[in-house]
Every structure is written in C-alpha cells, then in structure tokens.
Amino acid sequence: PPPPPAVRREEDWGPPPESNAFDFFRPPPPPIESPPPPVSVVVEYFPPPPPPPPAVSVTPSPAPPSNPPSHVVFLSDMFEIDELRDDQEFADIEEDVRDECGKFGAVVEVAIPRPAGDGNKNVPGLGKAFVRYETVSGAAAARDALHGRKFGGKTVNADFIGLDAFERRAF
C-alpha cells in the first residue's frame, strides 16, 4: 500500500465547494433579512363631545286647578285622620303646614278640621288643611309648589276653595 501522504490536500477536508480556502476561518455572514415593512401611523382626531343641552326643569308643571284661584288653598291626602285626634300630633301638623305654606306668601289663617270627640268622622273638610293667604298670588304660588309634592310619604293634592266658603266653613 502506498504510504500516507505527508501533507493533507485540500480535497481531503477542505472548505465547501462554493467558497475559497480563507472563508473557512471566517464566521458565517448573518442571514439576509428582508427590510422591515414601512411603518405607517394613523392619527385619528375625535372631536370632543358636544356640550349637554341646557338644563331643563325636571319638575313637571302641576295639573291645572279644578277651582278658580282665590285667597284660600286646601291641601288633602297629607295625613291620617287618627293623627288629628292626638293634640300634640295635631299641633305639629298645624305648625308644619303653617311653616311650609308661609314660604309662598303671608298666611292669614290655617284651619284643619278634626274628628268629633264621639269618633264621628262625618266632619266637613276632615283630612284636609285649609290655608288662607293675604293675596291670591301667594295662594297660587303655594298651590303650584305643593300640588304633587310628598308630605309624610303621601302625595299632596292642592286646589283652591272660595274665600266665602272658607269663612262659612263650608268645606
């Protein structure tokens, strides 16, 4: 057999066929990447929301009165008949009515019929409070403000009664 060659030849373990001998000792080049896609920035402008509409009164206007305006307003559905039997409760109710109604004009008189001592509930105007004002405009302001309002958990009904009927206590 022939002796082994003293010098190795390039064909024995050389570089890959597509490169030259010096490329073997260099690091491989980085892989070729495609350039990044162009960046597009979309800026959207959202205008501020429109201002809210002007404040509108949420309180509905009261129902029109059944009777023509006068100096006297009556308030019904405010209290239970049994509350009028107790002197202290009656005084408290009368004071509350006078104070609240006084916010709308000068109050001349407050009349709240009470049940008869014998328990008779057949008293004219029982369950209502009658408030006489110095002026018709004060009574009208009270009627408009108090009609439909809550008092002690109940919805108040307010309307007018003629001055002559009030003075005769023809409730």
Side-chain angles (χ1 to χ4, degrees):
V7 176
R8 290 190 179 172
R9 294 178 300 174
E10 192 173 299
E11 303 85 51
D12 296 337
W13 58 278
E18 53 282 339
S19 64
N20 65 39
F22 296 107
D23 287 341
F24 184 75
F25 298 104
R26 292 187 188 142
I32 298 175
E33 295 180 15
S34 60
V39 176
S40 64
V41 176
V42 177
V43 177
E44 292 186 43
Y45 174 72
F46 295 103
V56 179
S57 175
V58 179
T59 307
S61 59
S66 300
N67 301 315
S70 74
H71 285 80
V72 184
V73 173
F74 73 85
L75 309 169
S76 62
D77 302 325
M78 288 181 59
F79 40 80
E80 298 293 328
I81 305 301
D82 290 335
E83 294 175 296
L84 302 176
R85 295 182 196 285
D86 181 87
D87 291 336
Q88 184 57 50
E89 281 191 70
F90 178 80
D92 290 344
I93 291 170
E94 188 174 39
E95 181 182 351
D96 289 346
V97 169
R98 183 178 297 280
D99 290 346
E100 192 60 32
C101 290
K103 295 176 182 177
F104 308 104
V107 174
V108 175
E109 182 182 359
V110 174
I112 302 175
R114 294 179 80 175
D118 61 1
N120 183 4
K121 292 184 178 180
N122 231 357
V123 176
L126 188 61
K128 297 178 182 176
F130 298 86
V131 183
R132 180 180 178 181
Y133 283 88
E134 199 171 272
T135 64
V136 173
S137 62
R143 189 264 167 207
D144 289 347
L146 298 175
H147 184 76
R149 203 161 130 194
K150 297 281 186 187
F151 180 82
K154 296 181 171 205
T155 304
V156 176
N157 289 311
D159 207 345
F160 299 103
I161 184 174
L163 181 58
D164 60 325
F166 175 77
E167 289 175 343
R168 290 184 285 114
R169 298 299 196 246
F171 303 136

